[in-house]
Amino acid sequence: VAAWQPGAPDSFAEAVLEVVADIPAGRVMTYGDVAAVLGSRGARVVGQVMARYGSDVPWWRVIRASGQPPVCHEHKALEHYVSEDTPLRSSTGSGVRVDLASARWSPEIRWPDHSNDST
DNA sequence: CATTTGACTGCGT
DNA sequence: AACGCAGCCAAAT
């Protein structure tokens, strides 16, 4: 991980990896949101990047607009959700749905960190 | 350079 | 609520 230099995205993929890597535990973002943060609407492009380079980033924090992790990866993602205490919305019986109403996170927020303040 | 492919999304049936 | 169809966008072939 951290094989790329922050602030110097060579490609759309690099930018995606940065945003995904910025998602804290217990929070999730939809592909469309990540794409929107990058100033693009290529939700599928984000997914495509994840499929190729996502193996090095917390991809389970990036889900579909339906609140479900990528197909074929729902089970693995669920393991991470329960491990990160991600706000789920339905039972773990059939379909892992994340509570986007609460788990949705914005990379612009940045958690209140005033450990270094300079006036 | 043109075509094809998706870890997607939103709407209609 | 589930399934199908068309739109979008950047990368890979």
PDB file of all heavy atoms in Angstrom, chain C:
ATOM      1  P    DA C   1     -38.980  -2.833  -0.959  1.00  0.00           P
ATOM      2  OP1  DA C   1     -39.424  -1.595  -1.187  1.00  0.00           O
ATOM      3  OP2  DA C   1     -38.133  -3.349  -0.013  1.00  0.00           O
ATOM      4  O5'  DA C   1     -39.332  -3.970  -2.026  1.00  0.00           O
ATOM      5  C5'  DA C   1     -39.669  -5.252  -1.500  1.00  0.00           C
ATOM      6  C4'  DA C   1     -39.359  -6.318  -2.523  1.00  0.00           C
ATOM      7  O4'  DA C   1     -40.236  -6.127  -3.667  1.00  0.00           O
ATOM      8  C3'  DA C   1     -37.936  -6.256  -3.070  1.00  0.00           C
ATOM      9  O3'  DA C   1     -37.482  -7.557  -3.412  1.00  0.00           O
ATOM     10  C2'  DA C   1     -38.085  -5.365  -4.304  1.00  0.00           C
ATOM     11  C1'  DA C   1     -39.467  -5.752  -4.811  1.00  0.00           C
ATOM     12  N9   DA C   1     -40.162  -4.628  -5.463  1.00  0.00           N
ATOM     13  C8   DA C   1     -40.404  -3.374  -4.978  1.00  0.00           C
ATOM     14  N7   DA C   1     -41.045  -2.605  -5.808  1.00  0.00           N
ATOM     15  C5   DA C   1     -41.250  -3.410  -6.920  1.00  0.00           C
ATOM     16  C6   DA C   1     -41.875  -3.174  -8.155  1.00  0.00           C
ATOM     17  N6   DA C   1     -42.439  -2.003  -8.468  1.00  0.00           N
ATOM     18  N1   DA C   1     -41.898  -4.181  -9.044  1.00  0.00           N
ATOM     19  C2   DA C   1     -41.345  -5.351  -8.715  1.00  0.00           C
ATOM     20  N3   DA C   1     -40.721  -5.692  -7.576  1.00  0.00           N
ATOM     21  C4   DA C   1     -40.703  -4.659  -6.712  1.00  0.00           C
ATOM     22  P    DA C   2     -35.994  -7.818  -3.899  1.00  0.00           P
ATOM     23  OP1  DA C   2     -35.455  -9.003  -3.199  1.00  0.00           O
ATOM     24  OP2  DA C   2     -35.247  -6.537  -3.857  1.00  0.00           O
ATOM     25  O5'  DA C   2     -36.226  -8.226  -5.423  1.00  0.00           O
ATOM     26  C5'  DA C   2     -37.158  -9.254  -5.742  1.00  0.00           C
ATOM     27  C4'  DA C   2     -37.153  -9.534  -7.241  1.00  0.00           C
ATOM     28  O4'  DA C   2     -37.898  -8.485  -7.922  1.00  0.00           O
ATOM     29  C3'  DA C   2     -35.763  -9.546  -7.853  1.00  0.00           C
ATOM     30  O3'  DA C   2     -35.701 -10.549  -8.871  1.00  0.00           O
ATOM     31  C2'  DA C   2     -35.615  -8.147  -8.431  1.00  0.00           C
ATOM     32  C1'  DA C   2     -37.037  -7.820  -8.840  1.00  0.00           C
ATOM     33  N9   DA C   2     -37.366  -6.392  -8.782  1.00  0.00           N
ATOM     34  C8   DA C   2     -37.170  -5.516  -7.749  1.00  0.00           C
ATOM     35  N7   DA C   2     -37.593  -4.292  -7.993  1.00  0.00           N
ATOM     36  C5   DA C   2     -38.105  -4.381  -9.274  1.00  0.00           C
ATOM     37  C6   DA C   2     -38.701  -3.440 -10.119  1.00  0.00           C
ATOM     38  N6   DA C   2     -38.899  -2.156  -9.784  1.00  0.00           N
ATOM     39  N1   DA C   2     -39.091  -3.847 -11.337  1.00  0.00           N
ATOM     40  C2   DA C   2     -38.906  -5.121 -11.687  1.00  0.00           C
ATOM     41  N3   DA C   2     -38.365  -6.118 -10.982  1.00  0.00           N
ATOM     42  C4   DA C   2     -37.976  -5.671  -9.767  1.00  0.00           C
ATOM     43  P    DC C   3     -34.317 -10.744  -9.689  1.00  0.00           P
ATOM     44  OP1  DC C   3     -34.123 -12.180  -9.977  1.00  0.00           O
ATOM     45  OP2  DC C   3     -33.242  -9.965  -9.021  1.00  0.00           O
ATOM     46  O5'  DC C   3     -34.673 -10.020 -11.071  1.00  0.00           O
ATOM     47  C5'  DC C   3     -35.832 -10.449 -11.799  1.00  0.00           C
ATOM     48  C4'  DC C   3     -35.862  -9.814 -13.173  1.00  0.00           C
ATOM     49  O4'  DC C   3     -36.354  -8.453 -13.066  1.00  0.00           O
ATOM     50  C3'  DC C   3     -34.505  -9.730 -13.869  1.00  0.00           C
ATOM     51  O3'  DC C   3     -34.664 -10.090 -15.245  1.00  0.00           O
ATOM     52  C2'  DC C   3     -34.096  -8.276 -13.707  1.00  0.00           C
ATOM     53  C1'  DC C   3     -35.432  -7.549 -13.657  1.00  0.00           C
ATOM     54  N1   DC C   3     -35.419  -6.336 -12.826  1.00  0.00           N
ATOM     55  C2   DC C   3     -35.926  -5.137 -13.351  1.00  0.00           C
ATOM     56  O2   DC C   3     -36.372  -5.130 -14.514  1.00  0.00           O
ATOM     57  N3   DC C   3     -35.930  -4.018 -12.590  1.00  0.00           N
ATOM     58  C4   DC C   3     -35.456  -4.056 -11.345  1.00  0.00           C
ATOM     59  N4   DC C   3     -35.493  -2.924 -10.631  1.00  0.00           N
ATOM     60  C5   DC C   3     -34.930  -5.253 -10.776  1.00  0.00           C
ATOM     61  C6   DC C   3     -34.930  -6.369 -11.550  1.00  0.00           C
ATOM     62  P    DG C   4     -33.476  -9.938 -16.333  1.00  0.00           P
ATOM     63  OP1  DG C   4     -33.605 -11.000 -17.364  1.00  0.00           O
ATOM     64  OP2  DG C   4     -32.193  -9.785 -15.612  1.00  0.00           O
ATOM     65  O5'  DG C   4     -33.868  -8.556 -17.015  1.00  0.00           O
ATOM     66  C5'  DG C   4     -35.230  -8.305 -17.381  1.00  0.00           C
ATOM     67  C4'  DG C   4     -35.315  -7.184 -18.411  1.00  0.00           C
ATOM     68  O4'  DG C   4     -35.400  -5.905 -17.740  1.00  0.00           O
ATOM     69  C3'  DG C   4     -34.107  -7.081 -19.336  1.00  0.00           C
ATOM     70  O3'  DG C   4     -34.522  -6.607 -20.621  1.00  0.00           O
ATOM     71  C2'  DG C   4     -33.209  -6.081 -18.632  1.00  0.00           C
ATOM     72  C1'  DG C   4     -34.207  -5.156 -17.962  1.00  0.00           C
ATOM     73  N9   DG C   4     -33.776  -4.614 -16.673  1.00  0.00           N
ATOM     74  C8   DG C   4     -33.111  -5.273 -15.665  1.00  0.00           C
ATOM     75  N7   DG C   4     -32.867  -4.525 -14.614  1.00  0.00           N
ATOM     76  C5   DG C   4     -33.412  -3.300 -14.948  1.00  0.00           C
ATOM     77  C6   DG C   4     -33.468  -2.083 -14.210  1.00  0.00           C
ATOM     78  O6   DG C   4     -33.041  -1.849 -13.092  1.00  0.00           O
ATOM     79  N1   DG C   4     -34.119  -1.076 -14.923  1.00  0.00           N
ATOM     80  C2   DG C   4     -34.640  -1.218 -16.185  1.00  0.00           C
ATOM     81  N2   DG C   4     -35.219  -0.141 -16.707  1.00  0.00           N
ATOM     82  N3   DG C   4     -34.604  -2.344 -16.885  1.00  0.00           N
ATOM     83  C4   DG C   4     -33.976  -3.337 -16.207  1.00  0.00           C
ATOM     84  P    DC C   5     -33.420  -6.252 -21.746  1.00  0.00           P
ATOM     85  OP1  DC C   5     -34.021  -6.538 -23.068  1.00  0.00           O
ATOM     86  OP2  DC C   5     -32.120  -6.867 -21.373  1.00  0.00           O
ATOM     87  O5'  DC C   5     -33.287  -4.667 -21.611  1.00  0.00           O
ATOM     88  C5'  DC C   5     -34.469  -3.862 -21.644  1.00  0.00           C
ATOM     89  C4'  DC C   5     -34.145  -2.388 -21.845  1.00  0.00           C
ATOM     90  O4'  DC C   5     -33.837  -1.774 -20.577  1.00  0.00           O
ATOM     91  C3'  DC C   5     -32.952  -2.109 -22.746  1.00  0.00           C
ATOM     92  O3'  DC C   5     -33.169  -0.910 -23.488  1.00  0.00           O
ATOM     93  C2'  DC C   5     -31.807  -1.916 -21.773  1.00  0.00           C
ATOM     94  C1'  DC C   5     -32.506  -1.265 -20.584  1.00  0.00           C
ATOM     95  N1   DC C   5     -31.887  -1.583 -19.279  1.00  0.00           N
ATOM     96  C2   DC C   5     -31.700  -0.548 -18.355  1.00  0.00           C
ATOM     97  O2   DC C   5     -32.052   0.597 -18.653  1.00  0.00           O
ATOM     98  N3   DC C   5     -31.147  -0.835 -17.162  1.00  0.00           N
ATOM     99  C4   DC C   5     -30.789  -2.084 -16.863  1.00  0.00           C
ATOM    100  N4   DC C   5     -30.244  -2.311 -15.666  1.00  0.00           N
ATOM    101  C5   DC C   5     -30.963  -3.153 -17.796  1.00  0.00           C
ATOM    102  C6   DC C   5     -31.516  -2.860 -18.985  1.00  0.00           C
ATOM    103  P    DA C   6     -32.207  -0.524 -24.729  1.00  0.00           P
ATOM    104  OP1  DA C   6     -33.052  -0.267 -25.916  1.00  0.00           O
ATOM    105  OP2  DA C   6     -31.094  -1.490 -24.825  1.00  0.00           O
ATOM    106  O5'  DA C   6     -31.621   0.876 -24.236  1.00  0.00           O
ATOM    107  C5'  DA C   6     -32.522   1.869 -23.740  1.00  0.00           C
ATOM    108  C4'  DA C   6     -31.775   3.008 -23.064  1.00  0.00           C
ATOM    109  O4'  DA C   6     -31.307   2.585 -21.759  1.00  0.00           O
ATOM    110  C3'  DA C   6     -30.544   3.494 -23.826  1.00  0.00           C
ATOM    111  O3'  DA C   6     -30.469   4.914 -23.692  1.00  0.00           O
ATOM    112  C2'  DA C   6     -29.391   2.797 -23.117  1.00  0.00           C
ATOM    113  C1'  DA C   6     -29.890   2.774 -21.676  1.00  0.00           C
ATOM    114  N9   DA C   6     -29.342   1.688 -20.871  1.00  0.00           N
ATOM    115  C8   DA C   6     -29.191   0.367 -21.181  1.00  0.00           C
ATOM    116  N7   DA C   6     -28.667  -0.359 -20.217  1.00  0.00           N
ATOM    117  C5   DA C   6     -28.463   0.561 -19.195  1.00  0.00           C
ATOM    118  C6   DA C   6     -27.940   0.441 -17.907  1.00  0.00           C
ATOM    119  N6   DA C   6     -27.501  -0.700 -17.387  1.00  0.00           N
ATOM    120  N1   DA C   6     -27.878   1.555 -17.144  1.00  0.00           N
ATOM    121  C2   DA C   6     -28.316   2.718 -17.654  1.00  0.00           C
ATOM    122  N3   DA C   6     -28.830   2.955 -18.846  1.00  0.00           N
ATOM    123  C4   DA C   6     -28.878   1.817 -19.581  1.00  0.00           C
ATOM    124  P    DG C   7     -29.202   5.684 -24.412  1.00  0.00           P
ATOM    125  OP1  DG C   7     -29.782   6.761 -25.256  1.00  0.00           O
ATOM    126  OP2  DG C   7     -28.268   4.690 -25.011  1.00  0.00           O
ATOM    127  O5'  DG C   7     -28.457   6.399 -23.180  1.00  0.00           O
ATOM    128  C5'  DG C   7     -29.242   6.893 -22.073  1.00  0.00           C
ATOM    129  C4'  DG C   7     -28.299   7.509 -21.040  1.00  0.00           C
ATOM    130  O4'  DG C   7     -27.833   6.487 -20.127  1.00  0.00           O
ATOM    131  C3'  DG C   7     -27.044   8.125 -21.655  1.00  0.00           C
ATOM    132  O3'  DG C   7     -26.687   9.281 -20.916  1.00  0.00           O
ATOM    133  C2'  DG C   7     -26.009   7.017 -21.520  1.00  0.00           C
ATOM    134  C1'  DG C   7     -26.416   6.366 -20.208  1.00  0.00           C
ATOM    135  N9   DG C   7     -26.082   4.935 -20.103  1.00  0.00           N
ATOM    136  C8   DG C   7     -26.219   3.964 -21.068  1.00  0.00           C
ATOM    137  N7   DG C   7     -25.815   2.780 -20.685  1.00  0.00           N
ATOM    138  C5   DG C   7     -25.394   2.980 -19.379  1.00  0.00           C
ATOM    139  C6   DG C   7     -24.857   2.067 -18.442  1.00  0.00           C
ATOM    140  O6   DG C   7     -24.632   0.861 -18.592  1.00  0.00           O
ATOM    141  N1   DG C   7     -24.572   2.673 -17.233  1.00  0.00           N
ATOM    142  C2   DG C   7     -24.775   4.000 -16.958  1.00  0.00           C
ATOM    143  N2   DG C   7     -24.433   4.408 -15.730  1.00  0.00           N
ATOM    144  N3   DG C   7     -25.274   4.868 -17.815  1.00  0.00           N
ATOM    145  C4   DG C   7     -25.560   4.294 -19.008  1.00  0.00           C
ATOM    146  P    DC C   8     -25.471  10.222 -21.438  1.00  0.00           P
ATOM    147  OP1  DC C   8     -26.019  11.545 -21.753  1.00  0.00           O
ATOM    148  OP2  DC C   8     -24.706   9.491 -22.481  1.00  0.00           O
ATOM    149  O5'  DC C   8     -24.585  10.343 -20.130  1.00  0.00           O
ATOM    150  C5'  DC C   8     -24.382   9.180 -19.352  1.00  0.00           C
ATOM    151  C4'  DC C   8     -23.198   9.304 -18.429  1.00  0.00           C
ATOM    152  O4'  DC C   8     -22.824   7.989 -18.009  1.00  0.00           O
ATOM    153  C3'  DC C   8     -21.965   9.904 -19.105  1.00  0.00           C
ATOM    154  O3'  DC C   8     -21.169  10.612 -18.177  1.00  0.00           O
ATOM    155  C2'  DC C   8     -21.227   8.685 -19.600  1.00  0.00           C
ATOM    156  C1'  DC C   8     -21.626   7.567 -18.657  1.00  0.00           C
ATOM    157  N1   DC C   8     -21.889   6.295 -19.380  1.00  0.00           N
ATOM    158  C2   DC C   8     -21.596   5.071 -18.769  1.00  0.00           C
ATOM    159  O2   DC C   8     -21.166   5.062 -17.617  1.00  0.00           O
ATOM    160  N3   DC C   8     -21.814   3.928 -19.452  1.00  0.00           N
ATOM    161  C4   DC C   8     -22.299   3.968 -20.695  1.00  0.00           C
ATOM    162  N4   DC C   8     -22.506   2.816 -21.330  1.00  0.00           N
ATOM    163  C5   DC C   8     -22.602   5.197 -21.338  1.00  0.00           C
ATOM    164  C6   DC C   8     -22.391   6.338 -20.652  1.00  0.00           C
ATOM    165  P    DC C   9     -19.881  11.445 -18.713  1.00  0.00           P
ATOM    166  OP1  DC C   9     -19.775  12.691 -17.926  1.00  0.00           O
ATOM    167  OP2  DC C   9     -19.981  11.506 -20.189  1.00  0.00           O
ATOM    168  O5'  DC C   9     -18.619  10.528 -18.371  1.00  0.00           O
ATOM    169  C5'  DC C   9     -18.500   9.950 -17.072  1.00  0.00           C
ATOM    170  C4'  DC C   9     -17.189   9.224 -16.950  1.00  0.00           C
ATOM    171  O4'  DC C   9     -17.367   7.838 -17.296  1.00  0.00           O
ATOM    172  C3'  DC C   9     -16.089   9.752 -17.879  1.00  0.00           C
ATOM    173  O3'  DC C   9     -14.848   9.733 -17.214  1.00  0.00           O
ATOM    174  C2'  DC C   9     -16.091   8.766 -19.020  1.00  0.00           C
ATOM    175  C1'  DC C   9     -16.517   7.479 -18.362  1.00  0.00           C
ATOM    176  N1   DC C   9     -17.254   6.526 -19.223  1.00  0.00           N
ATOM    177  C2   DC C   9     -17.118   5.159 -18.957  1.00  0.00           C
ATOM    178  O2   DC C   9     -16.408   4.789 -18.018  1.00  0.00           O
ATOM    179  N3   DC C   9     -17.780   4.278 -19.722  1.00  0.00           N
ATOM    180  C4   DC C   9     -18.545   4.709 -20.726  1.00  0.00           C
ATOM    181  N4   DC C   9     -19.194   3.797 -21.457  1.00  0.00           N
ATOM    182  C5   DC C   9     -18.702   6.101 -21.013  1.00  0.00           C
ATOM    183  C6   DC C   9     -18.033   6.971 -20.235  1.00  0.00           C
ATOM    184  P    DA C  10     -13.635  10.664 -17.820  1.00  0.00           P
ATOM    185  OP1  DA C  10     -13.427  11.795 -16.912  1.00  0.00           O
ATOM    186  OP2  DA C  10     -13.877  10.898 -19.257  1.00  0.00           O
ATOM    187  O5'  DA C  10     -12.394   9.675 -17.679  1.00  0.00           O
ATOM    188  C5'  DA C  10     -12.148   9.069 -16.421  1.00  0.00           C
ATOM    189  C4'  DA C  10     -11.534   7.695 -16.607  1.00  0.00           C
ATOM    190  O4'  DA C  10     -12.454   6.807 -17.260  1.00  0.00           O
ATOM    191  C3'  DA C  10     -10.260   7.731 -17.473  1.00  0.00           C
ATOM    192  O3'  DA C  10      -9.257   6.962 -16.834  1.00  0.00           O
ATOM    193  C2'  DA C  10     -10.708   7.093 -18.780  1.00  0.00           C
ATOM    194  C1'  DA C  10     -11.801   6.137 -18.334  1.00  0.00           C
ATOM    195  N9   DA C  10     -12.796   5.840 -19.378  1.00  0.00           N
ATOM    196  C8   DA C  10     -13.490   6.733 -20.144  1.00  0.00           C
ATOM    197  N7   DA C  10     -14.317   6.175 -21.002  1.00  0.00           N
ATOM    198  C5   DA C  10     -14.148   4.822 -20.767  1.00  0.00           C
ATOM    199  C6   DA C  10     -14.739   3.685 -21.348  1.00  0.00           C
ATOM    200  N6   DA C  10     -15.635   3.743 -22.323  1.00  0.00           N
ATOM    201  N1   DA C  10     -14.357   2.477 -20.887  1.00  0.00           N
ATOM    202  C2   DA C  10     -13.451   2.416 -19.909  1.00  0.00           C
ATOM    203  N3   DA C  10     -12.830   3.417 -19.294  1.00  0.00           N
ATOM    204  C4   DA C  10     -13.226   4.601 -19.774  1.00  0.00           C
ATOM    205  P    DA C  11      -7.764   6.890 -17.414  1.00  0.00           P
ATOM    206  OP1  DA C  11      -6.812   7.237 -16.354  1.00  0.00           O
ATOM    207  OP2  DA C  11      -7.726   7.600 -18.710  1.00  0.00           O
ATOM    208  O5'  DA C  11      -7.679   5.329 -17.671  1.00  0.00           O
ATOM    209  C5'  DA C  11      -8.218   4.456 -16.671  1.00  0.00           C
ATOM    210  C4'  DA C  11      -8.211   3.024 -17.143  1.00  0.00           C
ATOM    211  O4'  DA C  11      -9.287   2.790 -18.078  1.00  0.00           O
ATOM    212  C3'  DA C  11      -6.921   2.608 -17.845  1.00  0.00           C
ATOM    213  O3'  DA C  11      -6.619   1.275 -17.466  1.00  0.00           O
ATOM    214  C2'  DA C  11      -7.293   2.709 -19.304  1.00  0.00           C
ATOM    215  C1'  DA C  11      -8.748   2.303 -19.308  1.00  0.00           C
ATOM    216  N9   DA C  11      -9.553   2.873 -20.377  1.00  0.00           N
ATOM    217  C8   DA C  11      -9.613   4.173 -20.798  1.00  0.00           C
ATOM    218  N7   DA C  11     -10.434   4.388 -21.802  1.00  0.00           N
ATOM    219  C5   DA C  11     -10.954   3.121 -22.051  1.00  0.00           C
ATOM    220  C6   DA C  11     -11.892   2.658 -22.993  1.00  0.00           C
ATOM    221  N6   DA C  11     -12.495   3.440 -23.891  1.00  0.00           N
ATOM    222  N1   DA C  11     -12.185   1.354 -22.987  1.00  0.00           N
ATOM    223  C2   DA C  11     -11.600   0.561 -22.084  1.00  0.00           C
ATOM    224  N3   DA C  11     -10.694   0.874 -21.137  1.00  0.00           N
ATOM    225  C4   DA C  11     -10.422   2.186 -21.190  1.00  0.00           C
ATOM    226  P    DA C  12      -5.273   0.602 -18.028  1.00  0.00           P
ATOM    227  OP1  DA C  12      -4.673  -0.103 -16.889  1.00  0.00           O
ATOM    228  OP2  DA C  12      -4.475   1.599 -18.798  1.00  0.00           O
ATOM    229  O5'  DA C  12      -5.842  -0.483 -19.046  1.00  0.00           O
ATOM    230  C5'  DA C  12      -6.858  -1.379 -18.593  1.00  0.00           C
ATOM    231  C4'  DA C  12      -7.152  -2.419 -19.648  1.00  0.00           C
ATOM    232  O4'  DA C  12      -8.001  -1.847 -20.671  1.00  0.00           O
ATOM    233  C3'  DA C  12      -5.930  -2.956 -20.373  1.00  0.00           C
ATOM    234  O3'  DA C  12      -6.109  -4.334 -20.673  1.00  0.00           O
ATOM    235  C2'  DA C  12      -5.858  -2.104 -21.627  1.00  0.00           C
ATOM    236  C1'  DA C  12      -7.334  -1.878 -21.929  1.00  0.00           C
ATOM    237  N9   DA C  12      -7.621  -0.605 -22.618  1.00  0.00           N
ATOM    238  C8   DA C  12      -7.110   0.636 -22.366  1.00  0.00           C
ATOM    239  N7   DA C  12      -7.578   1.585 -23.149  1.00  0.00           N
ATOM    240  C5   DA C  12      -8.470   0.906 -23.968  1.00  0.00           C
ATOM    241  C6   DA C  12      -9.277   1.345 -25.013  1.00  0.00           C
ATOM    242  N6   DA C  12      -9.370   2.599 -25.436  1.00  0.00           N
ATOM    243  N1   DA C  12     -10.046   0.422 -25.641  1.00  0.00           N
ATOM    244  C2   DA C  12      -9.984  -0.853 -25.218  1.00  0.00           C
ATOM    245  N3   DA C  12      -9.245  -1.382 -24.242  1.00  0.00           N
ATOM    246  C4   DA C  12      -8.499  -0.431 -23.641  1.00  0.00           C
ATOM    247  P    DT C  13      -5.023  -5.160 -21.506  1.00  0.00           P
ATOM    248  OP1  DT C  13      -5.049  -6.539 -20.977  1.00  0.00           O
ATOM    249  OP2  DT C  13      -3.754  -4.388 -21.527  1.00  0.00           O
ATOM    250  O5'  DT C  13      -5.628  -5.190 -22.981  1.00  0.00           O
ATOM    251  C5'  DT C  13      -7.039  -5.308 -23.150  1.00  0.00           C
ATOM    252  C4'  DT C  13      -7.356  -5.757 -24.578  1.00  0.00           C
ATOM    253  O4'  DT C  13      -7.805  -4.599 -25.328  1.00  0.00           O
ATOM    254  C3'  DT C  13      -6.190  -6.312 -25.357  1.00  0.00           C
ATOM    255  O3'  DT C  13      -6.619  -7.290 -26.300  1.00  0.00           O
ATOM    256  C2'  DT C  13      -5.625  -5.109 -26.092  1.00  0.00           C
ATOM    257  C1'  DT C  13      -6.883  -4.305 -26.368  1.00  0.00           C
ATOM    258  N1   DT C  13      -6.680  -2.845 -26.402  1.00  0.00           N
ATOM    259  C2   DT C  13      -7.425  -2.106 -27.292  1.00  0.00           C
ATOM    260  O2   DT C  13      -8.245  -2.608 -28.029  1.00  0.00           O
ATOM    261  N3   DT C  13      -7.185  -0.763 -27.275  1.00  0.00           N
ATOM    262  C4   DT C  13      -6.292  -0.087 -26.485  1.00  0.00           C
ATOM    263  O4   DT C  13      -6.186   1.121 -26.590  1.00  0.00           O
ATOM    264  C5   DT C  13      -5.545  -0.906 -25.564  1.00  0.00           C
ATOM    265  C7   DT C  13      -4.544  -0.281 -24.665  1.00  0.00           C
ATOM    266  C6   DT C  13      -5.771  -2.243 -25.566  1.00  0.00           C
TER     267       DT C  13
END
